[in-house]
Structures are given as C-alpha cells and as structure tokens.
Amino acid sequence: MPRTADAVAPVAAAAGVSPEATDRAVVYAVRAKGRIEETTVLALRSLRAIAATIVLTHPGTLSPEHRTLLAGLVDDVLETEAEQFSSTSYAAAVERVRRRRAQTTEVVLTGDSWFGPVSDLDPLFQRMADTGADVWDVVPPAPPRESFPEEGFPGVADRPWFFTVVRREFFTGSAWTRWWAEQSQPGERERSFASYVAAAGARHERAFDTERLHANDPALFAPEDLLDIGVPFVDRAVFTSYPPFLDRFAILASEIADMMGERGYPLGVLRSSLASCMPPKALNTNLGLLSVLSDHAVDAESGSSLSIAAVVHVSDIDEVDEVLRRLQFLPPGASVFVTTTEGVTAARLERLLEAWATTNAHTYELRVTPQSPGRDMADFFVGCRDILQSDEYDLVVKLHMRRAPWKTMNRLRYFRRYQFDNLLSSPGYVRNLLALFEKEEKLGVVFPPMIHIGYATMGRGWAMLQPHAKRLAKRLGIRVPLDVISPLAPYGGMWVGRPAAFRAMMTRRWTFADYDWRFQRRFGHLAHLQERLVSAAAGQAGFYCRTVLNHAHAEISYTALEYKVDQLFSTTRGWPVEQIRFLHRAGYTGYGGTVALARMFLRVNHPGVVDTFRPFYRLAWRGFRVVSAVRRFTSRLRTERGEKDQEASS
C-alpha cells in the first residue's frame, strides 16, 4: 500500500540514501499495465540510493504481488485509469511529491524506457549540481521511431521519459503549471520540453555532449558511444526493436549487452525481463542467443552437479541403439525414462535397456503409455508429468525415436543427425551445453535452431496453428507476445530444459484424450502446438531460450541459409527490412497464378480496394475450402467402395 509521509525518512535511511539526496524525489513511470519487470526492480534499487522519495506511476491497478515486490523501493504509487503510460501522469505524481515532502529541491522524471544503471549515479548528480540549470537531462529525447505493426512491432506513441531533472525553482512556478495545462500530442511533451523551458526564460542543460555521436537519436543509434562517455543507461529500444531494422543500422544488441555486463550489470536479469515481454524469436535474434559449441569440453566437470532426467519416447526400436549410445554422453547418474505405446515394443526395449544399463552409471525406468496421436509430446506432458512437476531434477532432456514413413531416407537421416548432433554430439559437447545452464540461471530451454535443409519450415513455422496458439496461450495465462511469422521453437520436439520453464504449460492438466483428432477444433494439432509454445511458456516463467549448433552443422546451415536468402532477395530492391515489408505488404503469392498476382498488385498499389473486397474474398475462400473438402471426402468414399468391390469379387 502507499506509504504515509512519516514513513519516507525511515525508508530512505534504510536504503542508504546519501545526505545530498535527502531532498531529491524520483517519479518513475511504468509503460504497460501489469509489467513490473526484474529490470525495473533493479533500477528502483539504484534510484533509491539517490532519492528520499520515489513515486511510481502505473497504468491501472497494481496487483498485490507487485506491491509486495516494490515494498521498500517506492514510497507511493499513482494508479492511472489509462491502459498504457501517459506523460500527463508526471504532473499528478509531482504534485504528490510536493504534498509528501515540501522541501523537495529537485524531481527526476524517468521510467522503464531504459535499462541500467550500469554505474553509480552519484557522480552524475554531483557534476550537474554546479551547473545552475533549472532543468537538465541526459540525452536528447527520442524522435518518432519507425514502426512495424504488421511484423509485430507497433510504434509507441508515448513512452516514459528517459531521464529529466526539474529543480524546485521551475516545478513550483507558473511556467510548470502552464506547461501541463497546454494540449500536446502523445510523445511530444518530452521532445518539446527543453525548448519550452528556454522560452519560459529558464535554463536547460544536457549532461552529455551527444551531437558529435548522432544528431537525431543517439540513444538508439550510438549506444556503445554513450556507454563509453559515461552515460549509465541504455535505451530499451536497442534490445526490443524489429530485428531487420537493427540489422540495417548494424546495431548489435548482443555486444551492447556484453558492454553492460562488463560494467557489472546482471545480464541474466536483462534477458529474463526481455523474455517476458518480447517475441521469443526476436529476442533470440537481437541478443544473439545462438551458441556454437565445441566437441572438446572447456571444463571436464561441467554439469556434474546437475541432477538430470532424460525422457525418451521410442516407437522405432530398430534405431534405438543410436539414442542409447548418445545418452551415455550425459554425466553419470542420469535418470532415463523411456516411454512406448506397444507391449511387444516394451518387451524388446526392456531387454535392451537391461543390457545397456550394465555398461553405464545411469538408471532407467520403462513406461508403457496409451496409443495417442500426441506421440512423444503426449508422453512428455502426460506420461511424465510427475517428472516435470518434481523438484528432484535440475534439467530434463527430451528425445524421441519415432517412425516417419512419409519422409525420404535422406530427410530422415539428416533430421536425426541435426537433432542428436546438436544436443548430444559428444561427451565434451554435452559438458559444454550443460555449462550454459550452470553459468546462466535464467536459461530455461536449449534446442537446435529451426531446421531448414530438407524441410520447408521457414516462413511457415506456425503451420497454420497461430490462432490456436493465441487461444491456448490466453487459457494458460501466457502473456509473452508471440512471433508473427515463425515462432522460436524446438522443431522436431527435442530439447534440454529446466522443469520450471515448462510450469506455465502445465497449468492445465493434460490428458491423452486431449491429443485426439476429434479435438482439433479446440487445440489444432496439440502436439505441434505445444512444441511451438515452449519458448513463450518459458518466457512467462522468466526464462529465456538458447539455440545451439556444433561446428559441423554451423558450417552446413549457415552456407545453405546465406545462399537461399541471397536468391530470395534477388528480385526486390532495398535493404532487407524494406524488402521484407514490401513482400509482407504484397501478401501471399500462392502459386503465382493470375489471381494471386492480381491480388498482390492491388494490395501494394490499391490497399483501399482490397479492404473493401476482403470480406467477399474471405467468403469465397471459405466456400472453396468447403467444396474442396467435400470433393476429397467423396473421392475417399469412392476409393473405399472400389476396394470393397474388388475384395468381394476376388
């Protein structure tokens, strides 16, 4: 609950507020409803040391859990009626500061638009104390930035101010009151504040000279240089912008994060917070969360302290020797749980597992599960639910060896190589993979990147399951934004992860019946759907994902991918971000027929016409699908009838 004025001094003293800060207040704004991230808590702890009073503004009602989290960090909470941040909340918050502590000499207007600080804030305030400025800030306010709404990155009209300090002479004067009484466009207040201060006859200064770095938007386009000259904050947009946009300007968020880490900022907290509010694939791209691991262990003892369970679904017993060989690469003492759905297969597996267990230090348990279209995913989330909910294991390795008669031999061979080589390549490789979990407490799941050789997965990763994914995520309480095109997912259903990273997925008690084809209207293909929601579920629990490759597959995958992308962009002009937007605007190409090309032409050149006729097009498309389904059904009936007639005649 908000604290009383009498409680301010004890809180400030307990937090170790410096004597110079006893008359300073901070107004910290949260940009979105219900999102108090770990990075916000970290920022408030640092601000607590330089301020006697902190007022937090929050869109909507703050939950009891978040109030508990903020206890001792803030003195008052201003809950606004808006769903998103509005600059006008600063005026009301400053008024609260004045009522709580009349002797306040300066107010800091800031919020969760930055990550940091990466250094002590006292030197900054001490340096600016001698300037005599009525208002000072750290960097120029951000101009309107390019937005990509169709790609899942809409523009932000109004965001919390970066870091502006207003001194008593100004915020108690009439110019301050007139400023907030004036009408202004969302997001314009911060950008026009400095010029208004000067026009009002007051003095404004900037803490750092950024003109030589970037005249327009140094916080986004020159973050490395800002860190080098001593700016203790990094703009949030450096990490959360549309990846091809950052690519165009060579803004390497992963290297900027490393610079923050070198200055003492906890990267686990940064990644965990971003995982809870960013599409997983975009986060994986921006932060470069791909590790190419060596087959030679950096530390031969890595992973020895971890308790490991391996869950292995087997329906193709002819190839089981390969997975058993790979499991021996795990550190001694792993618990192996093998599931299968056939009694005959189980009997053969029992004999194989008995012989295998005598050659290593692992234990095993064989489980026979009901036949289900969910196959390995059903066995994992239903047949081995007790393992995921137990606190006995630090990591769970999920593997499978199942039949795939519809795949060619080359595709099947490459698929299995790709999965097993990139998870269990060798004893040394496994040690290096486990070391990632030991070093990174918030690393939730590790799996190979999207397979794209022998498979047309790229661009179609959702497999038409995105509407089902949105509904299921809502039912499971997963608020992490989903990727628009293809999700970051363990395509192929094999991974290594912490059981806690799957808890959001386990809030529903799944049954084998849920995977039945009769429930497709409810969940789509549930097994494939769960596979594609793994990264979002991990993000909801505060964990991020990494992708891993060994050296051989890194060479194979990158060269093939580079050649394919080069070919795909050969007929479109501009930078990749412009080419991608053009192709998205043009829409689905189909097979390039007359109708598809005409539709694309209209979408690019006459979008208004397309919007007018879209309802009729959708109706015609649904009719076409119904007619096609009826034709397939009648064709199948004719085929079955012909087969029966042939059997009867014979």
Side-chain angles (χ1 to χ4, degrees):
M1 297 294 293
R3 297 175 180 271
T4 63
D6 295 337
V8 174
V11 170
V17 177
S18 62
E20 296 82 1
T22 53
D23 294 327
R24 183 182 299 128
V26 170
V27 176
Y28 189 95
V30 176
R31 74 191 187 288
K33 182 178 180 179
R35 288 203 181 278
I36 304 295
E37 300 162 4
E38 289 183 79
T39 49
T40 296
V41 174
L42 202 63
L44 288 170
R45 284 177 184 158
S46 296
L47 293 170
R48 181 81 272 177
I50 55 93
T53 305
I54 297 182
V55 175
L56 182 133
T57 75
H58 179 270
T61 304
L62 196 66
S63 69
E65 294 80 11
H66 286 151
R67 285 188 179 274
T68 302
L69 186 66
L70 296 172
L73 296 177
V74 302
D75 304 286
D76 200 354
V77 175
L78 174 63
E79 298 169 330
T80 66
E81 296 181 359
E83 290 294 314
Q84 298 289 331
F85 164 79
S86 172
S87 294
T88 56
S89 63
Y90 281 126
V94 170
E95 187 58 33
R96 284 204 180 186
V97 168
R98 294 175 62 181
R99 289 201 303 265
R100 292 180 63 87
R101 197 171 182 86
Q103 64 268 39
T104 297
T105 58
E106 62 181 16
V107 178
V108 181
L109 306 180
T110 186
D112 61 1
S113 57
W114 48 262
F115 293 122
V118 298
S119 59
D120 187 10
L121 294 177
D122 268 333
L124 172 63
F125 280 95
Q126 290 173 7
R127 178 163 61 85
M128 297 305 294
D130 299 329
T131 62
D134 298 294
V135 175
W136 62 269
D137 55 21
V138 174
V139 295
R145 288 166 174 166
E146 192 170 0
S147 65
F148 303 87
E150 294 182 357
E151 287 75 24
F153 293 83
V156 179
D158 201 3
R159 69 173 197 160
W161 291 21
F162 198 81
F163 205 87
T164 299
V165 179
V166 184
R167 290 185 170 141
R168 182 179 181 83
E169 291 75 10
F170 192 84
F171 71 75
T172 58
S174 59
W176 173 262
T177 305
R178 288 197 307 273
W179 165 251
W180 293 107
E182 292 179 359
Q183 297 295 321
S184 179
Q185 292 294 324
E188 288 296 328
R189 286 196 180 274
E190 185 184 16
R191 287 191 289 274
S192 58
F193 190 51
S195 58
Y196 176 84
V197 169
R203 182 178 173 186
H204 170 270
E205 288 197 14
R206 187 146 290 144
F208 298 91
D209 176 18
T210 61
E211 284 292 323
R212 59 186 177 83
L213 303 178
H214 195 281
N216 189 39
D217 194 356
L220 177 60
F221 293 106
E224 302 102 320
D225 301 301
L226 293 182
L227 286 172
D228 285 339
I229 65 174
V231 175
F233 315 110
V234 176
D235 195 300
R236 185 182 192 89
V238 170
F239 302 102
T240 60
S241 295
Y242 183 44
F245 170 80
L246 297 179
D247 168 88
R248 176 177 183 174
F249 296 100
I251 300 171
L252 304 179
S254 59
E255 293 191 357
I256 297 161
D258 290 340
M259 291 179 68
M260 295 173 68
E262 291 167 1
R263 288 160 171 77
Y265 194 81
L267 295 186
V269 172
L270 175 66
R271 293 166 182 159
S272 174
S273 294
L274 289 171
S276 68
C277 64
M278 273 190 72
K281 197 177 190 73
L283 174 64
N284 184 263
T285 303
N286 287 354
L287 288 186
L289 296 177
L290 165 67
S291 298
V292 181
L293 303 177
S294 169
D295 280 314
H296 302 286
V298 175
D299 180 357
E301 296 302 314
S302 294
S304 298
S305 63
L306 298 173
S307 176
I308 300 174
V311 176
V312 186
H313 170 79
V314 177
S315 60
D316 186 2
I317 198 169
D318 295 333
E319 301 290 338
V320 75
D321 289 342
E322 176 63 13
V323 73
L324 293 179
R325 181 181 74 85
R326 303 271 186 166
L327 285 171
Q328 290 180 307
F329 299 161
L330 294 173
S335 301
V336 178
F337 298 87
V338 180
T339 68
T340 190
T341 58
E342 297 175 355
V344 175
T345 302
R348 292 179 61 190
L349 275 173
E350 185 70 43
R351 292 191 295 271
L352 287 171
L353 290 169
E354 284 181 358
W356 172 79
T358 62
T359 64
N360 59 75
H362 301 331
T363 62
Y364 79 90
E365 178 183 328
L366 180 62
R367 298 185 177 187
V368 181
T369 57
Q371 188 77 34
S372 167
R375 300 178 298 181
D376 58 294
M377 297 297 287
D379 283 6
F380 186 75
F381 285 109
V382 183
C384 295
R385 180 184 177 90
D386 57 317
I387 299 169
L388 297 179
Q389 291 190 315
S390 170
D391 294 326
E392 182 179 352
Y393 301 104
D394 298 311
L395 295 178
V396 176
V397 181
K398 181 184 177 298
L399 306 170
H400 63 75
M401 189 63 72
R402 66 192 187 204
R403 299 184 184 93
W406 60 90
K407 296 179 182 177
T408 63
M409 184 58 67
N410 274 350
R411 290 179 65 201
L412 182 59
R413 184 185 298 116
Y414 179 74
F415 171 82
R416 287 181 174 170
R417 273 188 58 205
Y418 188 78
Q419 299 294 332
F420 290 130
D421 287 358
N422 292 319
L423 289 176
L424 302 171
S425 179
S426 66
Y429 183 92
V430 171
R431 294 286 182 173
N432 293 333
L433 188 152
L434 297 178
L436 295 174
F437 287 97
E438 288 184 326
K439 295 174 183 175
E440 304 174 20
E441 293 182 0
K442 290 298 184 178
L443 175 59
V445 191
V446 163
F447 46 83
M450 176 191 288
I451 188 169
H452 60 87
I453 296 177
Y455 292 80
T457 315
M458 300 197 74
R460 306 177 184 86
W462 278 114
M464 301 179 72
L465 290 170
Q466 193 171 25
H468 296 288
K470 290 179 179 178
R471 287 196 297 270
L472 182 57
K474 186 176 181 180
R475 292 182 63 172
L476 297 177
I478 297 174
R479 299 179 57 202
V480 176
L482 302 181
D483 291 289
V484 173
I485 305 300
S486 293
L488 179 73
Y491 298 96
M494 303 194 205
W495 61 70
V496 181
R498 300 184 195 272
F502 301 99
R503 296 288 161 82
M505 194 77 78
M506 303 294 290
T507 53
R508 174 186 171 91
R509 190 174 185 87
W510 301 105
T511 66
F512 286 103
D514 289 329
Y515 296 85
D516 195 289
W517 302 114
R518 291 172 295 178
F519 295 106
Q520 280 204 21
R521 288 192 64 183
R522 189 196 311 172
F523 297 122
H525 193 298
L526 181 57
H528 291 168
L529 186 58
Q530 289 175 324
E531 184 180 273
R532 285 155 174 78
L533 279 179
V534 161
S535 55
Q540 185 63 35
F543 294 98
Y544 59 92
C545 300
R546 270 192 180 275
T547 48
V548 289
L549 287 171
N550 69 1
H551 287 287
H553 283 284
E555 293 171 355
I556 295 168
S557 182
Y558 177 79
T559 51
L561 189 60
E562 178 187 334
Y563 193 90
K564 287 186 285 191
V565 171
D566 184 53
Q567 294 288 308
L568 287 171
F569 284 162
S570 62
T571 58
T572 50
R573 298 183 63 182
W575 291 83
V577 65
E578 296 163 343
Q579 295 167 316
I580 292 167
R581 293 193 79 172
F582 171 77
L583 293 173
H584 286 177
R585 191 166 71 251
Y588 184 56
T589 64
Y591 291 100
T594 304
V595 174
L597 291 175
R599 184 183 66 245
M600 292 170 67
F601 174 82
L602 290 173
R603 281 177 60 95
V604 172
N605 297 288
H606 305 285
V609 175
V610 174
D611 291 339
T612 301
F613 285 95
R614 182 172 284 121
F616 302 101
Y617 175 79
R618 288 176 177 170
L619 184 63
W621 174 245
R622 289 176 183 172
F624 171 76
R625 291 181 64 183
V626 170
V627 171
S628 299
V630 171
R631 286 178 177 173
R632 288 195 300 270
F633 179 72
T634 55
S635 176
R636 187 163 61 248
L637 283 180
R638 290 194 193 111
T639 302
E640 292 175 355
R641 188 176 302 163
E643 290 174 351
K644 289 180 180 179
D645 292 343
Q646 187 175 0
E647 290 176 1
S649 62
S650 61

